[in-house]
């Protein structure tokens, strides 16, 4: 689910509606000015001008909150804040103490749209103006305590929320960068491995081919030996390349967790993922199987589930068969349309069984859950550490 941050422009209609609802909730505090216009005993002309001023204030406030981005320092921002402050002061002086609440909105707007270095001065300034006018307006002193604290704390609360959103965005971008760097590093590793493996082998094949060509007319037996050597070198090179590619294709669970965070965030799914696990004592085949399971599960969540939230858990369990590593992926979506397991889950089941594990997948009360289990230790390690020897 995409969110709308404080001080951020809505990027689509849905974000605009969410932000409008969120902003509209806080307009309930305008009940005091509305009540004053309805029951304050003002003349018709004053009531009309009061309604006009209130609508103008709310409209300008909405434009300021909706159209400014994070930390913008454009003249529009400064002019808008000054206009709102001036209108709040004018309405408070002319219509009475009930209109002092408008300064709370000016303070909150200052915290929402100004850079932190400016907001920390603007909010106390607005609070000071509120205090001065409240002490001047008839009966305003009684309202001061109830408005000064919301204005002061509300403004700084907005700056805190904006900093939290900025930090969250920076962390998401950093995670995406780390995942991209990890992928680039793996590509470089493969390039180095292939260069080291094939460079020597291909040079040797070329050399022996030239030598066999020169020997062929006069020494066919020696040429045949060179051809046999070429065959042996090429076969060994093929084996080395296959091993290198297998290592390249073997995913790591830490990398898949980072990729899952990026994929879920991009799909608008709220992700609840574990911290990077310590898998130093886990068999490589087990880790690879769990990484494939996570990749398949996240792919299904993003493409088929329609989920709004996805939770991933990784735990160690002691069983009768030895220590097991259990990965669970649960979402709140409707799942795919098929009634049987797809090719992805079938292949994943085979991969886990090959690693000595198992797969469980199916509907739960509020969505779909996939659980993959693999041995936490290699077979020889499990033999060295039997279950009964533990605590």
């Amino acid at each position: 689910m995409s969110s709308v941050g404080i001080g951020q422009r809505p990027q689509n209609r849905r974000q605009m509606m969410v932000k409008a609802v969120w902003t509209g909730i806080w307009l309930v505090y305008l009940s005091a000015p509305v009540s004053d216009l309805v029951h304050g005993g003002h003349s018709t002309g004053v009531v009309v001008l009061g309604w006009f001023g209130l609508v103008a204030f709310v409209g300008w406030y909405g434009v300021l909150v909706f159209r400014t981005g994070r930390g913008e320092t454009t003249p529009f921002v400064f002019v808008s804040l000054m206009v709102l402050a001036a209108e709040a002061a004018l309405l408070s002086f002319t219509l009475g103490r009930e209109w002092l609440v408008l300064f709370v909105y000016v303070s909150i707007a200052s915290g929402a749209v100004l850079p932190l270095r400016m907001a920390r001065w603007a909010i106390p300034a607005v609070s000071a103006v509120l205090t001065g006018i409240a002490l001047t307006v008839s009966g305003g002193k009684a309202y001061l305590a109830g408005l000064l604290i919301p204005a002061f704390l509300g403004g700084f609360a907005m700056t805190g929320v904006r900093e939290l959103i900025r930090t969250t965005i920076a962390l998401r971008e950093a995670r995406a960068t780390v995942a991209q760097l990890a992928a680039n590093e793996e590509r470089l590793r493969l390039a180095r491995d292939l260069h080291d493996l094939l460079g020597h082998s291909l040079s040797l094949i070329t050399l022996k081919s030239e030598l066999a060509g020169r020997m062929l007319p006069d020494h066919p037996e020696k040429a045949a030996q060179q051809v046999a050597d070429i065959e042996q070198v090429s076969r060994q090179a093929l084996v080395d390349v296959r091993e290198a590619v297998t290592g390249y294709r073997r995913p790591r669970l830490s990398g898949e967790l980072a990729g899952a965070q990026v994929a879920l965030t991009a799909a608008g799914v709220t992700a609840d993922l574990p911290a990077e696990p310590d898998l130093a004592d886990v068999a490589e085949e087990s880790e690879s199987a769990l990484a494939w399971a996570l990749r398949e599960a996240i792919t299904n969540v993003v493409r088929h589930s329609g989920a709004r939230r996805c939770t991933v858990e990784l735990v160690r369990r002691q069983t009768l068969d030895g220590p097991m590593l259990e990965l669970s992926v649960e979402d709140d979506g409707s799942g795919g349309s098929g009634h049987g397991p797809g090719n992805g889950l079938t292949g994943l089941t085979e991969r886990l069984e090959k690693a000595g594990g198992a797969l469980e997948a199916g509907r739960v009360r509020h969505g779909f859950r996939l659980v993959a289990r693999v041995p936490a230790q290699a077979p020889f390690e499990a033999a060295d550490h039997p279950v009964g020897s533990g605590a």
Side-chain angles (χ1 to χ4, degrees):
M1 179 178 64
S2 60
S3 59
V4 181
I6 300 298
Q8 289 181 276
R9 286 193 185 99
Q11 301 297 320
N12 51 52
R13 181 174 297 178
R14 181 179 177 279
Q15 290 185 353
M16 185 171 293
M17 291 179 62
V18 171
K19 191 159 189 175
V21 171
W22 177 252
T23 304
I25 292 175
W26 301 104
L27 295 181
V28 68
Y29 291 102
L30 293 177
S31 58
V34 172
S35 178
D36 179 64
L37 290 175
V38 176
H39 306 293
H42 300 294
S43 64
T44 302
V46 172
V47 170
V48 171
L49 291 176
W51 278 113
F52 178 80
L54 182 61
V55 171
F57 182 91
V58 173
W60 204 299
Y61 174 82
V63 170
L64 177 62
V65 171
F66 270 81
R67 298 198 59 182
T68 54
R70 299 192 311 275
E72 286 186 342
T73 56
T74 61
F76 172 78
V77 173
F78 298 125
V79 171
S80 297
L81 288 174
M82 287 188 291
V83 168
L84 290 177
E87 191 171 357
L90 178 62
L91 292 172
S92 298
F93 277 124
T94 57
L95 295 178
R97 61 185 184 179
E98 289 81 3
W99 295 78
L100 291 171
V101 71
L102 298 183
F103 282 100
V104 176
Y105 291 91
V106 178
S107 179
I108 291 175
S110 300
V113 302
L114 287 177
L116 180 61
R117 65 182 185 278
M118 296 182 180
R120 62 186 180 187
W121 295 105
I123 294 170
V126 173
S127 301
V129 173
L130 167 62
T131 302
I133 296 178
L135 295 176
T136 305
V137 174
S138 176
K141 189 175 181 179
Y143 275 45
L144 183 58
L147 294 177
L148 186 58
I149 293 178
F152 191 81
L153 296 184
F156 280 108
M158 287 298 102
T159 62
V161 171
R162 283 181 52 209
E163 286 301 301
L164 180 61
I165 291 173
R166 184 190 65 79
T167 302
T168 302
I169 292 174
L171 286 175
R172 288 177 179 176
E173 293 174 349
R175 285 180 176 178
T177 301
V178 168
Q180 182 62 40
L181 290 176
N184 292 339
E185 179 62 26
E186 190 67 6
R187 293 190 186 98
L188 290 175
R189 185 194 70 81
L190 178 64
R192 289 193 300 267
D193 289 350
L194 290 179
H195 177 271
D196 295 341
L197 290 171
L198 295 181
H200 173 73
S201 299
L202 292 178
S203 297
L204 186 57
I205 290 173
T206 301
L207 179 62
K208 285 186 171 292
S209 298
E210 294 174 350
L211 186 58
R214 290 197 299 268
M215 290 180 174
L216 188 58
D218 301 325
H219 306 281
E221 300 84 2
K222 294 182 178 180
Q225 181 60 46
Q226 296 297 328
V227 172
D229 291 344
I230 292 172
E231 179 183 2
Q232 183 180 0
V233 171
S234 62
R235 288 183 182 276
Q236 184 59 45
L238 182 59
V239 171
D240 292 340
V241 169
R242 284 174 177 172
E243 290 179 352
V245 173
T246 300
Y248 173 74
R249 293 180 59 192
R250 180 179 291 119
R252 299 295 180 184
L253 196 54
S254 58
E256 291 301 320
L257 284 171
Q261 177 71 58
V262 175
L264 292 172
T265 301
V269 180
T270 301
D272 184 5
L273 303 178
E276 183 173 342
D278 181 10
L279 303 176
D281 60 338
V282 176
E284 191 175 80
E285 187 177 8
S286 294
E287 181 188 356
S288 178
L290 284 188
W292 282 113
L294 179 60
R295 180 182 298 184
E296 178 67 22
I298 296 301
T299 300
N300 289 338
V301 171
V302 171
R303 291 183 179 179
H304 309 303
S305 70
R308 308 293 291 277
R309 185 176 186 85
C310 179
T311 302
V312 179
E313 294 180 345
L314 182 66
V315 296
R316 292 175 183 261
R317 300 191 186 278
Q318 187 68 32
T319 68
L320 296 177
D321 297 326
M324 302 290 288
L325 203 58
E326 180 179 288
L327 174 76
S328 67
V329 182
E330 183 173 343
D331 63 71
D332 60 355
S334 58
S337 59
H339 300 287
N343 293 331
L345 292 182
T346 300
L348 184 58
T349 301
E350 297 173 354
R351 189 185 298 275
L352 288 168
E353 290 176 349
K354 183 178 179 181
L359 176 70
E360 295 179 8
R363 299 287 302 171
V364 292
R365 183 176 180 183
H366 297 296
F368 189 87
R369 188 167 187 254
L370 180 146
V371 180
R373 298 182 182 90
V374 293
Q377 296 177 338
F380 69 91
E381 292 175 334
D384 293 340
H385 300 82
V387 176
S389 65

